[in-house]
Structures are given as structure tokens and as C-alpha cells.
Amino acid sequence: APVTARGVVWGTTSSPTVALSTKTTDGTGTGTFTSMLASLNDNTTYYVRAYATNSVGIAYGNEVSFTASTPFSCGTSTVSDIDGNSYTTVSIGTQCWMGVNLKTSKYRNGGSIPNVTDNTTWSNLSTGAWSYYNNDASNNGIYGKVYNWYTTLGDTICPLGWGVPTHFEWDIIVNHLGGVSNAGGPMKQTGTTLWTTPNTGATNTSGFTALPGGLRYETGIFSFINDFSHFWSATAKSDDPVKAWDRSMYSQANSVFGNNNNKPAGMYIRCLKD
């Protein structure tokens, strides 16, 4: 007999029936249909199955179960630093990241971070400093500022409530996006306008939008723009006092590389919500 009603029914106990109020009505007849389950409680297990009604009676499909959870949200779409720069935010797994690189020239307490252009001065620093890539201010709007690792000390370079991610916090996003060998693609901006060909695996499905801003060596020399994206972590290397951990992505790979570089080197910073 023709199907006169169909949909799904769900509840918190097994074998839910249409006698329950928690059901949908999704047309008549045969064929596929889509149902939306509403007003679910967080951290609650539900049982759901399809049903079809005709003049003969009611038939049910196979039962499935799931535990409802609220998708993680940053709670805000933008955040601003002390200089007034505004940054988009993006939720990735259970973390909230800035969607662009840091651009501030001050710590959040108002203290200035010096702009150091001279290579010799840069290489001898043991305190915080920044520069534009290649000392060209036009790169700031695209890539943000290049910082040495000393700017991460005290965790005050990011806006209040945000911080420079630790080595472990970088591990969390990398593992969420498929591990070391696969996380680069979901994090890299797509296309080859900025990244050099082939920009292997780039999909940016995470929304992280890593850009190939290169780096500044501890000697002060700039290199690898359009080929590499380098980000500091807040974690010093425990067995080498002159080095700290960072993460990088490469135009020729789908990976996220965990490296350690000398602290005077210049890289980009992505802030992570506390």
C-alpha cells in the first residue's frame, strides 16, 4: 500500500516509536529523504530510526545511536590587538585560532617591541624584536610581522585571553587534522597566487589559511617567501638553551613539520585562545 507518512523518530531509550512526540514528518511515498533532529541535549545518547506508515501499519528501519554534542565555537568572529589590528577567528577541533598572522608592534601592556632592520643587531638580540619580511612594509598587510622567539616570553604579545601556542598545543591541531603527514593541506591557503607551484595538498578546509611568508634567519637574512610558512611555539627546547620549537608548512608537501630553530630567528605568530 502507498506510504502515507514517513520520517524518523528518536528518544533516549532503545526502539523509539511514533507514539513519541520526538519525530519528524518528511512527506509521503518511497525514495530518500532528509530529517533534522532538534532540541537535543548535550552529552546525551539518543536512539533513532526511520519509520514509514501505510494502511497496513507502521514499519521501522534499523536503529542507530549517537551522543549529541554542541559544536565548539570561538564565541566571537574577530579579536583586536593593542594596535587596533583586527583578526578573524576560526574554531578548529576544540581550539580557537586567529585566522591571520599577528601584526602588533606592542605587547598588550603597551610596551613597544622594537623594529630591528640591521642584520648584525638582529643576530645579537636576546630580547624581543620584529621586522617586516625583507624590511618591506608592504608585506605586513599580507603576512603580518616577523618576530624573534623572545617576543613570546611572558606570554603578553597576544591580546588578553589569547596566547602563543605551546609545542603541545600545536600537536593538538596537527593531530586533529590528520597528523604530521596530512595536516599541511587542510591548513594551507589554496592556489598558487602566493604559494609556489604545486602547493601540494592545499585545501584550507580548516580555515587556518597558512601563508608562505618565509622566515628571517638568526643572521638577519630573509629567505623562503612563497615556499615556506613558519610559526613559533612558546616552548623552548629543553635540551638546547639556544633553540625553541616551531611549526612549518612547505609548498612541496602535505605535511606540518615540527622543527627547532635558534631563538633569534624571525617567524610568524598565530595566537590561540586560552
Side-chain angles (χ1 to χ4, degrees), residues 44 59 63 69 72 89 95 123 151 174 188 214 227 250 262 264 269:
T44 301
E63 180 180 275
S69 61
F72 178 79
T89 65
Q95 295 176 312
S123 65
T151 59
V174 169
K188 292 191 294 181
D227 289 320
Y250 181 35
N262 289 343
I269 289 177

Side-chain angles (χ1 to χ4, degrees), residues 249-261:
M249 282 144 267
Y250 181 35
S251 61
Q252 304 285 332
N254 196 33
S255 302
V256 175
F257 302 95
N259 319 294
N260 48 85
N261 276 278

Side-chain angles (χ1 to χ4, degrees), residues 167-205:
H167 186 51
F168 172 73
E169 287 169 329
W170 274 109
D171 283 343
I172 292 174
I173 184 175
V174 169
N175 291 334
H176 174 74
L177 295 175
V180 170
S181 299
N182 300 296
M187 296 177 75
K188 292 191 294 181
Q189 183 195 51
T190 58
T192 54
T193 302
L194 295 177
W195 285 96
T196 54
T197 304
N199 196 12
T200 302
T203 62
N204 198 32
T205 52

